Amino acid sequence: MKAVVYQGPYDVDVEEVDEPEIEHPNDVVVDITTSCICGSDLHMYEGRTAAEEGIVFGHENMGIVSEVGEAVSTLEEGDRVVMPFNVSCGFCQNCEEGYTGFCTNVNPGFAGGAYGYVAMGPYPGGQAERLRVPYADHNALKLPEGREHEDAFSLLADIFPTGWHGTELANLESGESVAIFGAGPVGLMAAYSAKIKGAAEIYVVDQVPSRLELAEEHCDAHPIDFSEGDPVDQIIEEHGGMVDKGVDAVGYQATDPDDVDTETEDYSYQPAKENPAVVINNLIRVVRPTGELGIPGLYVPEDPGAPDDMAAQGRLGIDFGKFFEKGLKCGTGQCNVKAYNRYLRDMIIEGRADPSWVVSHRVDLEEAPEMYEAFDAREEGVTKVLLEP
């Protein structure tokens, strides 16, 4: 079958790989109808992880069940399903308590598993024609038959629940104000989640105009372009003070302006300059005393491409003194998708949510190399790419 295979930094190709098979009685095999390119895939694509050549990418997957293991009891051939990016067992202590992103059985020595991702277990990804799903009764969420809501349902694998998770980590409540750093797919879904939850004011920080326009149009957010000046100053001036809550939807590859004329505060020229701690520190500055931060953005214990030795070890220069002084609280970690995906699915079915507006491209699997390049370059208008085998 055809699949998107990692060849090395900035290089993926579509090539023939072995077809998946039932390996355990609780497995199913799914014929993929949609698999998404995720911002997290770019960390591997850019060579910023320990990913080795030959990995089949793709942790955001949906499709039709084509083979069913003899121990599977809730799924049948022909069922339409979407899989959380988390691979989890359902019965370890963390899974039983709802922390399926931190399953201790599926990836020995590491808390959590995922499809097609470095260090996340022996599970090939779904940017392919077919995918094996282990613990299928637990890991596959059934969807209505047909093709309705295909784009929206595909986002249940990761970015819609992860955006929602960011607001949950920050304990965002109706009527509160929130600053969301990053207007990539997860940041936009965090802003959309904040809107659904009834946030009074939403600020979204980025420097890509088309993404900020989406945040304003679909999330009723105040767009904050950090290329035009300090984003914290912009938010405080517009809001009239600090905000209640904050969400980091960027992670360790955050950038800040470079070559700024400090006398004139000219932010017009800005080649990317990585600063892994800048978003967290900006959140510490912009969230009011006793407020809360949600950090679903990815941070890693090792970064081969880090801008300095400390960051290479996963250590950041966090303004913890200010964090302590303000009495802030913080929630971190990858999303436990199963905690949310059933409810978000039902909101889509009932017409109370439709995140499909974030999708900019649906293309054939063969176009994956070109779309990885465009998405990695943050090209205008490339927001969320769906691959269709």
Side-chain angles (χ1 to χ4, degrees), residues 145-204:
E145 296 180 1
R147 292 282 296 183
E148 189 177 12
H149 304 306
E150 181 81 6
D151 288 0
F153 285 150
S154 72
L155 306 181
L156 293 172
D158 186 349
I159 66 165
F160 193 13
T162 297
W164 192 276
H165 183 59
T167 65
E168 288 286 302
L169 289 171
N171 287 318
L172 179 67
E173 297 184 2
S174 176
E176 291 186 321
S177 55
V178 61
I180 297 165
F181 280 72
V186 169
L188 290 171
M189 289 295 97
Y192 189 51
S193 300
K195 176 184 176 180
I196 293 171
K197 289 184 171 188
E201 291 189 84
I202 305 166
Y203 298 88
V204 175

Tab-separated table of all heavy atoms in Angstrom, residues 145-204:
chain	number	residue	atom	x	y	z
A	145	GLU	N	-22.889	6.870	9.453
A	145	GLU	CA	-22.518	6.381	8.135
A	145	GLU	C	-22.508	7.513	7.110
A	145	GLU	O	-23.122	8.556	7.304
A	145	GLU	CB	-23.500	5.296	7.688
A	145	GLU	CG	-23.492	4.045	8.537
A	145	GLU	CD	-24.492	3.022	8.038
A	145	GLU	OE1	-25.173	3.302	7.020
A	145	GLU	OE2	-24.602	1.952	8.659
A	146	GLY	N	-21.796	7.258	6.014
A	146	GLY	CA	-21.788	8.219	4.917
A	146	GLY	C	-20.553	9.091	4.908
A	146	GLY	O	-19.520	8.750	5.493
A	147	ARG	N	-20.645	10.239	4.255
A	147	ARG	CA	-19.515	11.163	4.140
A	147	ARG	C	-19.803	12.511	4.793
A	147	ARG	O	-18.962	13.410	4.760
A	147	ARG	CB	-19.184	11.388	2.660
A	147	ARG	CG	-18.621	10.186	1.945
A	147	ARG	CD	-17.162	9.949	2.253
A	147	ARG	NE	-16.318	11.036	1.773
A	147	ARG	CZ	-14.990	11.038	1.864
A	147	ARG	NH1	-14.372	10.021	2.437
A	147	ARG	NH2	-14.274	12.058	1.415
A	148	GLU	N	-20.975	12.656	5.402
A	148	GLU	CA	-21.312	13.942	6.002
A	148	GLU	C	-20.333	14.287	7.118
A	148	GLU	O	-19.922	13.434	7.893
A	148	GLU	CB	-22.735	13.908	6.552
A	148	GLU	CG	-23.243	15.280	7.007
A	148	GLU	CD	-24.687	15.231	7.491
A	148	GLU	OE1	-25.211	14.118	7.680
A	148	GLU	OE2	-25.275	16.306	7.665
A	149	HIS	N	-19.968	15.543	7.211
A	149	HIS	CA	-19.069	16.066	8.238
A	149	HIS	C	-17.677	15.424	8.180
A	149	HIS	O	-16.977	15.379	9.188
A	149	HIS	CB	-19.643	15.859	9.642
A	149	HIS	CG	-21.005	16.439	9.869
A	149	HIS	ND1	-21.303	17.765	9.621
A	149	HIS	CD2	-22.139	15.867	10.332
A	149	HIS	CE1	-22.561	17.984	9.936
A	149	HIS	NE2	-23.099	16.852	10.345
A	150	GLU	N	-17.261	14.940	7.013
A	150	GLU	CA	-15.968	14.251	6.931
A	150	GLU	C	-14.826	15.136	7.432
A	150	GLU	O	-13.991	14.697	8.229
A	150	GLU	CB	-15.694	13.805	5.494
A	150	GLU	CG	-14.383	13.048	5.305
A	150	GLU	CD	-14.441	11.570	5.673
A	150	GLU	OE1	-15.547	11.079	5.976
A	150	GLU	OE2	-13.378	10.917	5.664
A	151	ASP	N	-14.775	16.388	6.975
A	151	ASP	CA	-13.691	17.266	7.408
A	151	ASP	C	-13.758	17.531	8.908
A	151	ASP	O	-12.744	17.468	9.612
A	151	ASP	CB	-13.745	18.601	6.654
A	151	ASP	CG	-13.324	18.476	5.191
A	151	ASP	OD1	-12.989	17.354	4.760
A	151	ASP	OD2	-13.321	19.506	4.496
A	152	ALA	N	-14.943	17.832	9.407
A	152	ALA	CA	-15.098	18.144	10.831
A	152	ALA	C	-14.762	16.940	11.695
A	152	ALA	O	-14.053	17.056	12.706
A	152	ALA	CB	-16.514	18.626	11.116
A	153	PHE	N	-15.268	15.761	11.318
A	153	PHE	CA	-15.007	14.563	12.119
A	153	PHE	C	-13.518	14.219	12.141
A	153	PHE	O	-13.013	13.704	13.144
A	153	PHE	CB	-15.804	13.370	11.584
A	153	PHE	CG	-17.263	13.397	11.918
A	153	PHE	CD1	-18.193	12.818	11.057
A	153	PHE	CD2	-17.740	13.970	13.091
A	153	PHE	CE1	-19.548	12.812	11.359
A	153	PHE	CE2	-19.088	13.977	13.402
A	153	PHE	CZ	-19.998	13.393	12.533
A	154	SER	N	-12.815	14.467	11.046
A	154	SER	CA	-11.387	14.137	11.023
A	154	SER	C	-10.614	14.940	12.068
A	154	SER	O	-9.585	14.479	12.582
A	154	SER	CB	-10.797	14.387	9.626
A	154	SER	OG	-10.683	15.774	9.346
A	155	LEU	N	-11.124	16.112	12.413
A	155	LEU	CA	-10.451	16.959	13.400
A	155	LEU	C	-10.648	16.460	14.822
A	155	LEU	O	-10.004	16.961	15.750
A	155	LEU	CB	-10.940	18.400	13.258
A	155	LEU	CG	-10.810	19.001	11.853
A	155	LEU	CD1	-11.298	20.442	11.839
A	155	LEU	CD2	-9.381	18.911	11.340
A	156	LEU	N	-11.531	15.459	15.009
A	156	LEU	CA	-11.708	14.857	16.328
A	156	LEU	C	-10.528	13.985	16.725
A	156	LEU	O	-10.389	13.609	17.889
A	156	LEU	CB	-12.978	14.001	16.358
A	156	LEU	CG	-14.306	14.745	16.234
A	156	LEU	CD1	-15.448	13.751	16.093
A	156	LEU	CD2	-14.538	15.649	17.440
A	157	ALA	N	-9.668	13.642	15.772
A	157	ALA	CA	-8.506	12.820	16.099
A	157	ALA	C	-7.497	13.569	16.956
A	157	ALA	O	-6.766	12.951	17.735
A	157	ALA	CB	-7.829	12.336	14.810
A	158	ASP	N	-7.466	14.894	16.808
A	158	ASP	CA	-6.431	15.643	17.520
A	158	ASP	C	-6.831	17.090	17.775
A	158	ASP	O	-7.130	17.478	18.893
A	158	ASP	CB	-5.119	15.574	16.734
A	158	ASP	CG	-3.929	16.208	17.465
A	158	ASP	OD1	-4.137	16.880	18.491
A	158	ASP	OD2	-2.791	16.027	17.021
A	159	ILE	N	-6.873	17.926	16.721
A	159	ILE	CA	-6.785	19.375	16.976
A	159	ILE	C	-8.009	19.969	17.663
A	159	ILE	O	-7.861	20.894	18.469
A	159	ILE	CB	-6.437	20.166	15.697
A	159	ILE	CG1	-7.554	20.094	14.656
A	159	ILE	CG2	-5.111	19.720	15.139
A	159	ILE	CD1	-7.391	21.149	13.572
A	160	PHE	N	-9.215	19.456	17.364
A	160	PHE	CA	-10.378	20.004	18.067
A	160	PHE	C	-10.325	19.618	19.548
A	160	PHE	O	-10.428	20.493	20.426
A	160	PHE	CB	-11.658	19.537	17.382
A	160	PHE	CG	-12.911	20.283	17.807
A	160	PHE	CD1	-12.859	21.473	18.535
A	160	PHE	CD2	-14.168	19.790	17.463
A	160	PHE	CE1	-14.023	22.152	18.919
A	160	PHE	CE2	-15.337	20.456	17.844
A	160	PHE	CZ	-15.257	21.628	18.590
A	161	PRO	N	-10.150	18.335	19.894
A	161	PRO	CA	-9.988	18.018	21.312
A	161	PRO	C	-8.782	18.695	21.958
A	161	PRO	O	-8.856	19.106	23.129
A	161	PRO	CB	-9.832	16.492	21.317
A	161	PRO	CG	-10.483	16.030	20.062
A	161	PRO	CD	-10.223	17.117	19.060
A	162	THR	N	-7.679	18.820	21.236
A	162	THR	CA	-6.492	19.434	21.828
A	162	THR	C	-6.711	20.918	22.084
A	162	THR	O	-6.284	21.458	23.111
A	162	THR	CB	-5.259	19.206	20.940
A	162	THR	OG1	-4.991	17.795	20.870
A	162	THR	CG2	-4.033	19.899	21.505
A	163	GLY	N	-7.376	21.613	21.155
A	163	GLY	CA	-7.719	23.009	21.413
A	163	GLY	C	-8.631	23.142	22.611
A	163	GLY	O	-8.448	24.017	23.474
A	164	TRP	N	-9.630	22.255	22.688
A	164	TRP	CA	-10.535	22.238	23.853
A	164	TRP	C	-9.743	21.962	25.130
A	164	TRP	O	-9.964	22.585	26.173
A	164	TRP	CB	-11.598	21.168	23.626
A	164	TRP	CG	-12.753	21.223	24.574
A	164	TRP	CD1	-12.807	20.666	25.828
A	164	TRP	CD2	-14.015	21.877	24.365
A	164	TRP	NE1	-14.028	20.923	26.407
A	164	TRP	CE2	-14.788	21.658	25.531
A	164	TRP	CE3	-14.563	22.598	23.314
A	164	TRP	CZ2	-16.091	22.151	25.661
A	164	TRP	CZ3	-15.859	23.083	23.447
A	164	TRP	CH2	-16.603	22.866	24.608
A	165	HIS	N	-8.801	21.026	25.034
A	165	HIS	CA	-7.959	20.645	26.175
A	165	HIS	C	-7.164	21.842	26.694
A	165	HIS	O	-7.005	22.003	27.907
A	165	HIS	CB	-7.011	19.527	25.725
A	165	HIS	CG	-6.127	18.973	26.791
A	165	HIS	ND1	-6.597	18.387	27.942
A	165	HIS	CD2	-4.768	18.893	26.864
A	165	HIS	CE1	-5.584	17.956	28.679
A	165	HIS	NE2	-4.461	18.257	28.042
A	166	GLY	N	-6.682	22.679	25.779
A	166	GLY	CA	-5.944	23.864	26.211
A	166	GLY	C	-6.782	24.764	27.098
A	166	GLY	O	-6.290	25.290	28.111
A	167	THR	N	-8.050	24.921	26.744
A	167	THR	CA	-8.924	25.759	27.574
A	167	THR	C	-9.290	25.053	28.869
A	167	THR	O	-9.511	25.700	29.896
A	167	THR	CB	-10.209	26.147	26.806
A	167	THR	OG1	-10.997	24.984	26.540
A	167	THR	CG2	-9.863	26.849	25.498
A	168	GLU	N	-9.358	23.714	28.841
A	168	GLU	CA	-9.614	22.957	30.066
A	168	GLU	C	-8.432	23.054	31.022
A	168	GLU	O	-8.603	23.191	32.237
A	168	GLU	CB	-9.904	21.493	29.730
A	168	GLU	CG	-11.242	21.253	29.071
A	168	GLU	CD	-12.398	21.376	30.059
A	168	GLU	OE1	-12.422	20.640	31.064
A	168	GLU	OE2	-13.275	22.234	29.812
A	169	LEU	N	-7.218	22.949	30.486
A	169	LEU	CA	-6.026	23.064	31.323
A	169	LEU	C	-5.968	24.414	32.032
A	169	LEU	O	-5.467	24.521	33.153
A	169	LEU	CB	-4.759	22.873	30.473
A	169	LEU	CG	-4.472	21.460	29.965
A	169	LEU	CD1	-3.314	21.493	28.976
A	169	LEU	CD2	-4.158	20.514	31.109
A	170	ALA	N	-6.491	25.449	31.353
A	170	ALA	CA	-6.525	26.788	31.941
A	170	ALA	C	-7.775	27.024	32.771
A	170	ALA	O	-7.949	28.114	33.334
A	170	ALA	CB	-6.436	27.842	30.836
A	171	ASN	N	-8.659	26.022	32.826
A	171	ASN	CA	-9.922	26.147	33.566
A	171	ASN	C	-10.720	27.372	33.122
A	171	ASN	O	-11.284	28.105	33.941
A	171	ASN	CB	-9.673	26.196	35.080
A	171	ASN	CG	-9.273	24.845	35.644
A	171	ASN	OD1	-9.837	23.819	35.277
A	171	ASN	ND2	-8.276	24.843	36.517
A	172	LEU	N	-10.780	27.576	31.806
A	172	LEU	CA	-11.509	28.723	31.265
A	172	LEU	C	-12.999	28.573	31.532
A	172	LEU	O	-13.590	27.530	31.256
A	172	LEU	CB	-11.265	28.831	29.761
A	172	LEU	CG	-11.981	29.972	29.053
A	172	LEU	CD1	-11.431	31.322	29.503
A	172	LEU	CD2	-11.857	29.824	27.539
A	173	GLU	N	-13.604	29.628	32.043
A	173	GLU	CA	-15.033	29.629	32.332
A	173	GLU	C	-15.742	30.726	31.549
A	173	GLU	O	-15.126	31.699	31.104
A	173	GLU	CB	-15.267	29.824	33.838
A	173	GLU	CG	-14.703	28.697	34.694
A	173	GLU	CD	-15.022	28.865	36.161
A	173	GLU	OE1	-15.720	29.843	36.516
A	173	GLU	OE2	-14.570	28.022	36.963
A	174	SER	N	-17.046	30.554	31.399
A	174	SER	CA	-17.866	31.532	30.691
A	174	SER	C	-17.680	32.909	31.307
A	174	SER	O	-17.660	33.074	32.530
A	174	SER	CB	-19.332	31.110	30.765
A	174	SER	OG	-20.159	32.072	30.166
A	175	GLY	N	-17.544	33.916	30.442
A	175	GLY	CA	-17.410	35.289	30.902
A	175	GLY	C	-15.985	35.738	31.133
A	175	GLY	O	-15.738	36.929	31.344
A	176	GLU	N	-15.028	34.812	31.070
A	176	GLU	CA	-13.634	35.180	31.311
A	176	GLU	C	-12.953	35.615	30.018
A	176	GLU	O	-13.426	35.349	28.914
A	176	GLU	CB	-12.874	34.005	31.933
A	176	GLU	CG	-13.317	33.687	33.354
A	176	GLU	CD	-12.469	32.626	34.007
A	176	GLU	OE1	-12.082	31.648	33.318
A	176	GLU	OE2	-12.200	32.747	35.216
A	177	SER	N	-11.826	36.269	30.183
A	177	SER	CA	-11.006	36.673	29.048
A	177	SER	C	-9.814	35.732	28.939
A	177	SER	O	-9.331	35.196	29.935
A	177	SER	CB	-10.518	38.113	29.225
A	177	SER	OG	-9.834	38.278	30.462
A	178	VAL	N	-9.336	35.528	27.699
A	178	VAL	CA	-8.246	34.581	27.488
A	178	VAL	C	-7.347	35.054	26.360
A	178	VAL	O	-7.810	35.614	25.366
A	178	VAL	CB	-8.804	33.168	27.174
A	178	VAL	CG1	-9.659	33.175	25.906
A	178	VAL	CG2	-7.686	32.139	27.080
A	179	ALA	N	-6.035	34.856	26.537
A	179	ALA	CA	-5.042	35.122	25.503
A	179	ALA	C	-4.506	33.789	25.012
A	179	ALA	O	-4.038	32.971	25.816
A	179	ALA	CB	-3.906	35.978	26.041
A	180	ILE	N	-4.584	33.569	23.706
A	180	ILE	CA	-4.122	32.327	23.099
A	180	ILE	C	-2.957	32.654	22.177
A	180	ILE	O	-3.111	33.423	21.227
A	180	ILE	CB	-5.256	31.645	22.322
A	180	ILE	CG1	-6.384	31.260	23.284
A	180	ILE	CG2	-4.743	30.420	21.566
A	180	ILE	CD1	-7.680	30.905	22.607
A	181	PHE	N	-1.805	32.080	22.482
A	181	PHE	CA	-0.623	32.314	21.659
A	181	PHE	C	-0.499	31.189	20.646
A	181	PHE	O	-0.436	30.015	21.000
A	181	PHE	CB	0.627	32.397	22.538
A	181	PHE	CG	0.796	33.728	23.210
A	181	PHE	CD1	-0.037	34.099	24.258
A	181	PHE	CD2	1.768	34.631	22.785
A	181	PHE	CE1	0.102	35.334	24.875
A	181	PHE	CE2	1.917	35.869	23.394
A	181	PHE	CZ	1.081	36.224	24.444
A	182	GLY	N	-0.507	31.565	19.369
A	182	GLY	CA	-0.449	30.617	18.272
A	182	GLY	C	-1.784	30.526	17.569
A	182	GLY	O	-2.796	30.217	18.189
A	183	ALA	N	-1.790	30.782	16.257
A	183	ALA	CA	-3.009	30.661	15.464
A	183	ALA	C	-2.838	29.595	14.393
A	183	ALA	O	-3.405	29.697	13.303
A	183	ALA	CB	-3.379	31.999	14.829
A	184	GLY	N	-2.038	28.573	14.730
A	184	GLY	CA	-2.045	27.371	13.927
A	184	GLY	C	-3.335	26.621	14.203
A	184	GLY	O	-4.230	27.118	14.906
A	185	PRO	N	-3.469	25.406	13.679
A	185	PRO	CA	-4.715	24.669	13.868
A	185	PRO	C	-5.132	24.501	15.327
A	185	PRO	O	-6.309	24.677	15.658
A	185	PRO	CB	-4.415	23.323	13.200
A	185	PRO	CG	-3.433	23.657	12.128
A	185	PRO	CD	-2.563	24.716	12.725
A	186	VAL	N	-4.202	24.162	16.221
A	186	VAL	CA	-4.572	23.976	17.624
A	186	VAL	C	-4.956	25.307	18.265
A	186	VAL	O	-5.940	25.390	19.015
A	186	VAL	CB	-3.434	23.291	18.410
A	186	VAL	CG1	-3.709	23.336	19.918
A	186	VAL	CG2	-3.285	21.839	17.957
A	187	GLY	N	-4.207	26.354	17.978
A	187	GLY	CA	-4.546	27.662	18.536
A	187	GLY	C	-5.907	28.139	18.061
A	187	GLY	O	-6.694	28.686	18.845
A	188	LEU	N	-6.197	27.927	16.784
A	188	LEU	CA	-7.508	28.311	16.272
A	188	LEU	C	-8.619	27.490	16.914
A	188	LEU	O	-9.692	28.015	17.225
A	188	LEU	CB	-7.547	28.152	14.751
A	188	LEU	CG	-6.703	29.163	13.961
A	188	LEU	CD1	-6.629	28.781	12.489
A	188	LEU	CD2	-7.253	30.580	14.115
A	189	MET	N	-8.365	26.201	17.147
A	189	MET	CA	-9.371	25.376	17.817
A	189	MET	C	-9.511	25.753	19.292
A	189	MET	O	-10.604	25.640	19.864
A	189	MET	CB	-9.018	23.900	17.674
A	189	MET	CG	-9.205	23.335	16.275
A	189	MET	SD	-10.939	23.325	15.695
A	189	MET	CE	-10.973	24.846	14.728
A	190	ALA	N	-8.431	26.205	19.918
A	190	ALA	CA	-8.542	26.696	21.295
A	190	ALA	C	-9.402	27.953	21.332
A	190	ALA	O	-10.248	28.121	22.223
A	190	ALA	CB	-7.157	26.975	21.872
A	191	ALA	N	-9.207	28.847	20.354
A	191	ALA	CA	-10.016	30.059	20.293
A	191	ALA	C	-11.479	29.723	20.010
A	191	ALA	O	-12.397	30.312	20.599
A	191	ALA	CB	-9.464	30.994	19.220
A	192	TYR	N	-11.713	28.757	19.114
A	192	TYR	CA	-13.079	28.325	18.799
A	192	TYR	C	-13.729	27.697	20.025
A	192	TYR	O	-14.908	27.942	20.324
A	192	TYR	CB	-13.022	27.332	17.641
A	192	TYR	CG	-14.366	26.953	17.061
A	192	TYR	CD1	-15.302	27.910	16.679
A	192	TYR	CD2	-14.685	25.615	16.858
A	192	TYR	CE1	-16.519	27.541	16.127
A	192	TYR	CE2	-15.898	25.235	16.298
A	192	TYR	CZ	-16.813	26.211	15.937
A	192	TYR	OH	-18.017	25.843	15.387
A	193	SER	N	-12.963	26.908	20.766
A	193	SER	CA	-13.470	26.305	22.000
A	193	SER	C	-13.818	27.372	23.020
A	193	SER	O	-14.836	27.279	23.723
A	193	SER	CB	-12.432	25.334	22.573
A	193	SER	OG	-12.144	24.286	21.667
A	194	ALA	N	-12.963	28.392	23.114
A	194	ALA	CA	-13.231	29.489	24.045
A	194	ALA	C	-14.531	30.202	23.679
A	194	ALA	O	-15.323	30.577	24.549
A	194	ALA	CB	-12.051	30.466	24.048
A	195	LYS	N	-14.759	30.369	22.379
A	195	LYS	CA	-16.010	30.991	21.936
A	195	LYS	C	-17.201	30.132	22.327
A	195	LYS	O	-18.209	30.636	22.860
A	195	LYS	CB	-15.977	31.200	20.422
A	195	LYS	CG	-17.280	31.745	19.848
A	195	LYS	CD	-17.221	31.827	18.327
A	195	LYS	CE	-18.557	32.275	17.746
A	195	LYS	NZ	-18.518	32.365	16.262
A	196	ILE	N	-17.119	28.822	22.067
A	196	ILE	CA	-18.218	27.913	22.408
A	196	ILE	C	-18.499	27.956	23.903
A	196	ILE	O	-19.655	27.903	24.339
A	196	ILE	CB	-17.880	26.481	21.948
A	196	ILE	CG1	-17.839	26.397	20.416
A	196	ILE	CG2	-18.885	25.477	22.505
A	196	ILE	CD1	-17.309	25.085	19.879
A	197	LYS	N	-17.446	28.055	24.693
A	197	LYS	CA	-17.593	28.054	26.153
A	197	LYS	C	-18.101	29.386	26.699
A	197	LYS	O	-18.397	29.485	27.878
A	197	LYS	CB	-16.256	27.722	26.816
A	197	LYS	CG	-15.831	26.280	26.644
A	197	LYS	CD	-14.536	26.024	27.412
A	197	LYS	CE	-14.197	24.548	27.445
A	197	LYS	NZ	-13.058	24.263	28.343
A	198	GLY	N	-18.151	30.414	25.859
A	198	GLY	CA	-18.694	31.688	26.297
A	198	GLY	C	-17.681	32.649	26.862
A	198	GLY	O	-18.028	33.514	27.682
A	199	ALA	N	-16.420	32.549	26.432
A	199	ALA	CA	-15.422	33.521	26.878
A	199	ALA	C	-15.852	34.927	26.466
A	199	ALA	O	-16.385	35.139	25.376
A	199	ALA	CB	-14.057	33.195	26.274
A	200	ALA	N	-15.618	35.882	27.362
A	200	ALA	CA	-16.046	37.253	27.084
A	200	ALA	C	-15.164	37.907	26.033
A	200	ALA	O	-15.663	38.572	25.114
A	200	ALA	CB	-16.024	38.072	28.374
A	201	GLU	N	-13.860	37.741	26.154
A	201	GLU	CA	-12.926	38.315	25.188
A	201	GLU	C	-11.823	37.304	24.902
A	201	GLU	O	-11.301	36.669	25.820
A	201	GLU	CB	-12.328	39.616	25.708
A	201	GLU	CG	-13.323	40.771	25.786
A	201	GLU	CD	-12.632	42.088	26.086
A	201	GLU	OE1	-12.139	42.726	25.139
A	201	GLU	OE2	-12.580	42.453	27.263
A	202	ILE	N	-11.494	37.186	23.629
A	202	ILE	CA	-10.491	36.221	23.174
A	202	ILE	C	-9.437	36.971	22.375
A	202	ILE	O	-9.769	37.681	21.419
A	202	ILE	CB	-11.144	35.134	22.298
A	202	ILE	CG1	-12.298	34.455	23.036
A	202	ILE	CG2	-10.103	34.112	21.836
A	202	ILE	CD1	-13.198	33.619	22.129
A	203	TYR	N	-8.194	36.801	22.754
A	203	TYR	CA	-7.069	37.409	22.030
A	203	TYR	C	-6.221	36.292	21.453
A	203	TYR	O	-5.858	35.343	22.160
A	203	TYR	CB	-6.229	38.281	22.965
A	203	TYR	CG	-7.001	39.435	23.547
A	203	TYR	CD1	-7.728	39.278	24.733
A	203	TYR	CD2	-7.047	40.666	22.910
A	203	TYR	CE1	-8.472	40.318	25.259
A	203	TYR	CE2	-7.785	41.721	23.432
A	203	TYR	CZ	-8.491	41.535	24.609
A	203	TYR	OH	-9.229	42.573	25.122
A	204	VAL	N	-5.908	36.383	20.165
A	204	VAL	CA	-5.110	35.362	19.499
A	204	VAL	C	-3.865	36.018	18.915
A	204	VAL	O	-3.957	36.997	18.166
A	204	VAL	CB	-5.908	34.650	18.400
A	204	VAL	CG1	-5.012	33.670	17.637
A	204	VAL	CG2	-7.087	33.899	19.006
